[in-house]
């Protein structure tokens, strides 16, 4: 039996939809066309940051064991690192922290990659880029330009990191760009059911 382990934040956890409609379960259904014995383990955690993921990889024994057994890992991470810059939707972005956020993200992702490869050197890892959910939405529309710049920087870090560890990059930003009203839920942040389907199809395609 092969094991697919889904790591990451609320996008992996399937925030806003029932478990069968989370992208890992939808993706697993596709994979079972070729591997009927595939088992999926969704370890997504709402609000997870890169540092939170690193702590789980280093110190959670159940988590670590699952990684050692996986034949495939998917990962969505980084959005919550950026969300720390916004104290609330009524306050300005804390731009003074932006450089430090990216330095920490880059360093932490490097350690995440090392931990995964130590635990399972040959596992296939697919890593998603970040999408910008704010396009055209009120009250966040005024943040769009700055947020897009931060997402572009974060994605550059994610792509470089993923390639350095032999991981597959899944470009979710391209999948969502221009389609945000169709794919983002009522909270103006997380995917809706259709959005999770798009994510699953993207992971299947890359």
């Amino acid at each position: 039996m092969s094991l697919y382990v889904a790591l990451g934040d609320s996008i992996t956890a399937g925030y806003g939809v029932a478990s069968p409609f989370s992208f890992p379960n939808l993706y697993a259904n596709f994979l079972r066309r070729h591997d009927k014995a595939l088992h999926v383990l969704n370890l997504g955690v709402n609000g997870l940051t890169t540092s939170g993921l690193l702590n789980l990889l280093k110190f959670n024994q159940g988590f670590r064991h699952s990684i050692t057994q996986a034949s495939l890992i998917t990962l969505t991470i980084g959005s919550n690192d950026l969300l720390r810059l916004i104290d609330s939707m009524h306050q300005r972005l804390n731009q003074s922290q932006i450089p430090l956020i990216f330095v920490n993200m880059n360093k932490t992702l490097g350690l995440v990659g090392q931990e995964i490869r130590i635990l399972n050197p040959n596992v296939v890892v697919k890593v998603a880029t970040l999408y910008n959910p704010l396009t055209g939405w009120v009250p966040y529309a005024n943040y769009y330009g700055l947020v897009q710049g931060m997402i572009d920087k974060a994605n550059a870090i994610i792509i470089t990191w993923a390639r350095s560890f032999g991981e597959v990059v899944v470009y979710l930003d391209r999948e969502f760009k221009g389609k945000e009203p169709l794919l983002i839920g009522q909270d103006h942040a997380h995917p809706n059911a259709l959005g999770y389907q798009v994510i699953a199809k993207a992971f299947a395609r890359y």
Side-chain angles (χ1 to χ4, degrees):
M1 180 185 71
S2 53
L3 176 63
Y4 158 35
V5 175
L7 304 180
D9 49 29
S10 53
I11 295 175
T12 292
Y15 183 92
V17 297
S19 178
F21 303 104
S22 67
F23 95 76
N25 278 327
L26 296 174
Y27 180 34
N29 290 339
F30 171 83
L31 294 172
R32 289 190 183 104
R33 298 177 187 176
H34 309 283
D35 183 0
K36 295 186 183 301
L38 176 78
H39 178 65
V40 58
L41 179 61
N42 191 335
L43 297 179
V45 178
N46 291 335
L48 191 68
T49 62
T50 54
S51 60
L53 175 61
L54 180 60
N55 285 335
L56 288 170
L57 286 168
K58 289 175 70 70
F59 303 117
N60 186 305
Q61 294 305 312
F63 203 92
R64 289 170 60 85
H65 178 73
S66 297
I67 299 300
T68 67
Q69 300 303 302
S71 57
L72 170 67
I73 293 172
T74 60
L75 176 60
T76 63
I77 201 70
S79 295
N80 293 304
D81 295 66
L82 302 185
L83 285 175
R84 289 179 170 182
L85 298 170
I86 305 176
D87 295 323
S88 82
M89 68 180 183
H90 301 296
Q91 295 178 336
R92 293 183 177 182
L93 289 169
N94 189 350
Q95 296 187 46
S96 65
Q97 293 185 17
I98 291 176
L100 181 59
I101 289 289
F102 289 128
V103 169
N104 288 339
M105 177 184 289
N106 189 49
K107 179 180 178 180
T108 306
L109 283 175
L111 296 172
V112 164
Q114 290 176 22
E115 286 295 325
I116 291 174
R117 290 305 174 193
I118 288 170
L119 293 168
N120 194 333
N122 299 315
V123 66
V124 175
V125 181
K126 295 187 175 185
V127 181
T129 57
L130 310 182
Y131 63 84
N132 186 351
L134 303 186
T135 308
W137 293 110
V138 178
Y140 302 106
N142 291 338
Y143 292 147
Y144 173 74
L146 180 58
V147 169
Q148 186 61 55
M150 295 192 319
I151 288 176
D152 289 344
K153 174 65 174 177
N155 281 339
I157 291 171
I158 290 169
I159 292 166
T160 300
W161 164 70
R163 290 174 175 170
S164 72
F165 283 93
E167 300 163 353
V168 178
V169 179
V170 179
Y171 293 89
L172 293 190
D173 55 319
R174 298 176 184 176
E175 303 293 328
F176 275 67
K177 189 173 181 59
K179 304 173 186 175
E180 295 85 0
L182 294 175
L183 303 180
I184 303 296
Q186 294 182 355
D187 67 351
H188 302 168
H190 294 90
N192 56 24
L194 180 59
Y196 284 116
Q197 290 178 34
V198 168
I199 294 173
K201 289 178 181 177
F203 272 96
R205 193 164 61 251
Y206 284 93

